[in-house]
Amino acid sequence: MTTRKITNSSQGIHGTISVPGDKSISHRALMFGAIAHGETVIHGFLKSEDCINTMKCLQQLHVKIEEKDDVVIVYGKGFEGLEKPERTLYVGNSGTTIRLLLGILGTLPFETVITGDDSIKKRPMDRVVKPLSKTGALFSANKAPIVVSGTNTKGITYDSPIASAQVKSSILLAALNSVGTTNVSEPKPSRDHTERMLSHFNVSYQKKENMISLIGKQKLTGREINVPGDISSAAFFIAAAIITPNSSLEIHNVGLNETRTGIIDILLKMGANITISNHSKMNGEEVGTIHAEYSPNLNSVEICGETIPRLIDEIPILALVATQANGMTVIKDASELKVKETNRITAVADELTKCGAKIEPTNDGMTIVGKSTLQHANVTSHGDHRIGMMLAIAGLIADGGMTIEDAEAVSVSYPHFFEELNNIMA
Ligand code: S3P
């Protein structure tokens, strides 16, 4: 386990950076490339542990994937080109890999065993196993390791009780190789990268309110995909600039899909100095440049309801920002945080409390009272990349900095996070 010491940054952070490719889109680009026919060329692919695990799983299913210079090329042969792997598929820490792959594997006429690390083995898979079983897919268990197979799967109608892009996407991927129509709905809109990628691959489907309908067995042809920078990675540096005195930071090429920009809406509501420019579109995904500056007069805010799925991965870093805002910030309707890479409600509350924050966990979120002066503490990432990065940013403003155990967890989504942090502190 690596321990990292972060020093307090009285000079602020400065510069112009770009963040690595979007994790959600990188996973989907590989999977869509694998089930399409022909070459899919991916620019800006995120070479992080999670996405590399997706790549390795697909290679074990006998999909040829090459890395050349800055591109990744997937030579897809359709669903019928996927062949039984010789060994157990290992997804590491990646919930997106296992849940989306279960959708694909549940339509294939051979048994695959799929598993992951200790965190994955504890996370709920019944949320995909239950609907996918209705298609005719067979599963040995509700938690990893799982043996999965399926023949002649059929379209289903499923009203998901949770707003989860992983559940929706798993069902849609299964739908592509099943006979008949699949209808899937969710209680609140979750990120829609799968739908946008379906359109990019010329798959026809209908979307009415929160219900998507797709007819199976449509043929996909390989495409070129440009992956924008990940707003969930940018969020750490945006927050860093906002809470660290004397800071000014520009981040280029950030994905601004409105199902992901809840973080920007909330920070603006809190009074943060953020501007967005250079709007454009990349394969159906909005992108732009984000400029963030130190914002000394932040106010507390309530974060709940439909906003939650739009910023679910940014709640750890928003909790840190809330420690620097005047008044009580309330985060609710976010019980999904309990089943992420770690229980992010207790992990955020425990670690920020060690630093002197006034933060209380609740059943479906937390309350944070600001403004607090944070102090050095020996903290841990809990093996969770986003907790690790949030604590590193806390170190920029904590008296005496921060010492973070299990810091290498950041590699799951942002392998060069600490190097980039050093660059902007210099
Ligand atoms: C993801 C969806 C979200 C998110 C995760 C990535 C995706 O999970 O938290 O980091 O790529 O579909 P849920 O869909 O389970 O909320």
Side-chain angles (χ1 to χ4, degrees):
M1 274 205 243
T2 321
T3 301
R4 284 267 181 174
K5 173 92 204 313
I6 303 293
T7 51
N8 177 297
S9 176
S10 53
Q11 315 287 318
I13 56 165
H14 302 271
T16 302
I17 61 168
S18 10
V19 286
D22 188 277
K23 182 157 79 68
S24 294
I25 299 176
S26 295
H27 286 299
R28 287 160 173 78
L30 287 176
M31 292 187 201
F32 272 75
I35 59 173
H37 292 261
E39 277 179 39
T40 288
V41 180
I42 311 169
H43 303 264
F45 176 76
L46 171 65
K47 288 185 187 162
S48 74
E49 274 174 20
D50 269 12
C51 299
I52 289 170
N53 280 323
T54 294
M55 188 187 285
K56 287 185 182 159
C57 289
L58 292 169
Q59 285 169 329
Q60 279 184 251
L61 288 158
H62 300 269
V63 180
K64 184 177 162 199
I65 304 177
E66 275 178 3
E67 293 180 61
K68 270 194 201 156
D69 305 322
D70 276 350
V71 297
V72 171
I73 308 171
V74 186
Y75 300 87
K77 291 196 209 149
F79 280 97
E80 57 279 19
L82 301 172
E83 291 172 35
K84 185 172 170 61
E86 276 85 46
R87 285 172 285 124
T88 297
L89 302 187
Y90 181 74
V91 305
N93 192 242
S94 178
T96 307
T97 308
I98 191 165
R99 295 202 178 106
L100 270 58
L101 277 184
L102 283 170
I104 294 175
L105 298 172
T107 67
L108 302 179
F110 50 79
E111 284 192 343
T112 303
V113 189
I114 190 162
T115 193
D117 68 8
D118 289 345
S119 157
I120 277 293
K121 286 182 188 156
K122 287 186 207 127
R123 295 180 68 184
M125 296 302 141
D126 52 338
R127 54 183 56 199
V128 293
V129 165
K130 191 174 163 221
L132 293 173
S133 298
K134 291 178 196 273
T135 67
L138 300 170
F139 299 88
S140 63
N142 274 330
K143 281 203 172 141
I146 300 176
V147 187
V148 50
S149 62
T151 34
N152 303 323
T153 49
K154 296 189 177 43
I156 55 165
T157 293
Y158 188 67
D159 294 319
S160 173
I162 32 177
S164 161
Q166 292 180 352
V167 171
K168 174 177 64 181
S169 304
S170 181
I171 295 170
L172 289 172
L173 285 165
L176 285 173
N177 199 28
S178 298
V179 176
T181 304
T182 293
N183 305 298
V184 57
S185 73
E186 52 186 349
K188 296 173 197 137
S190 64
R191 66 190 64 192
D192 66 357
H193 303 299
T194 299
E195 295 91 304
R196 291 180 194 228
M197 205 161 281
L198 285 170
S199 304
H200 188 60
F201 277 80
N202 290 330
V203 175
S204 59
Y205 65 91
Q206 285 194 320
K207 192 164 190 173
K208 276 193 198 136
E209 291 165 18
N210 287 344
M211 165 82 84
I212 300 156
S213 304
L214 187 155
I215 300 172
K217 301 287 179 186
Q218 299 184 46
K219 190 176 170 190
L220 281 69
T221 310
R223 307 288 294 179
E224 188 139 0
I225 299 173
N226 290 292
V227 182
D230 198 326
I231 190 168
S232 296
S233 297
F236 296 100
F237 292 128
I238 297 169
I242 287 168
I243 63 174
T244 312
N246 306 312
S247 296
S248 174
L249 194 68
E250 196 161 279
I251 314 176
H252 286 284
N253 188 36
V254 183
L256 295 173
N257 176 323
E258 63 159 4
T259 61
R260 299 283 300 282
T261 48
I263 171 89
I264 304 291
D265 296 350
I266 291 296
L267 290 173
L268 288 171
K269 216 169 166 182
M270 294 175 88
N273 296 323
I274 298 178
T275 50
I276 300 183
S277 56
N278 298 331
H279 288 271
S280 66
K281 233 173 171 183
M282 269 183 181
N283 39 259
E285 296 276 353
E286 292 78 11
V287 288
T289 299
I290 299 181
H291 188 110
E293 286 196 11
Y294 176 53
S295 310
N297 300 312
L298 294 172
N299 304 308
S300 58
V301 71
E302 183 170 291
I303 312 173
C304 59
E306 299 230 336
T307 308
I308 295 292
R310 296 180 58 233
L311 48 65
I312 188 74
D313 291 341
E314 286 64 73
I315 291 178
I317 190 69
L318 276 170
L320 172 65
V321 174
T323 69
Q324 304 308 302
N326 294 309
M328 188 197 276
T329 290
V330 178
I331 301 172
K332 55 187 189 186
D333 305 328
S335 52
E336 274 295 297
L337 292 174
K338 293 181 190 165
V339 290
K340 292 294 176 188
E341 285 80 333
T342 188
N343 179 337
R344 287 186 177 159
I345 296 182
T346 51
V348 167
D350 289 352
E351 300 312 310
L352 285 178
T353 300
K354 289 183 196 165
C355 313
K358 297 188 187 78
I359 176 164
E360 288 296 332
T362 63
N363 198 30
D364 66 347
M366 58 194 90
T367 58
I368 306 117
V369 177
K371 193 170 177 171
S372 300
T373 304
L374 302 186
Q375 300 116 30
H376 172 267
N378 291 312
V379 291
T380 167
S381 72
H382 295 247
D384 182 323
H385 54 135
R386 301 199 198 282
I387 304 289
M389 289 188 272
M390 178 276 283
L391 292 168
I393 302 304
L396 300 180
I397 56 162
D399 290 341
M402 197 67 63
T403 305
I404 307 156
E405 268 173 40
D406 214 351
E408 74 280 2
V410 304
S411 302
V412 153
S413 64
Y414 203 153
H416 300 296
F417 171 79
F418 289 108
E419 287 87 330
E420 194 67 278
L421 185 57
N422 270 339
N423 291 340
I424 58 179
M425 283 170 78

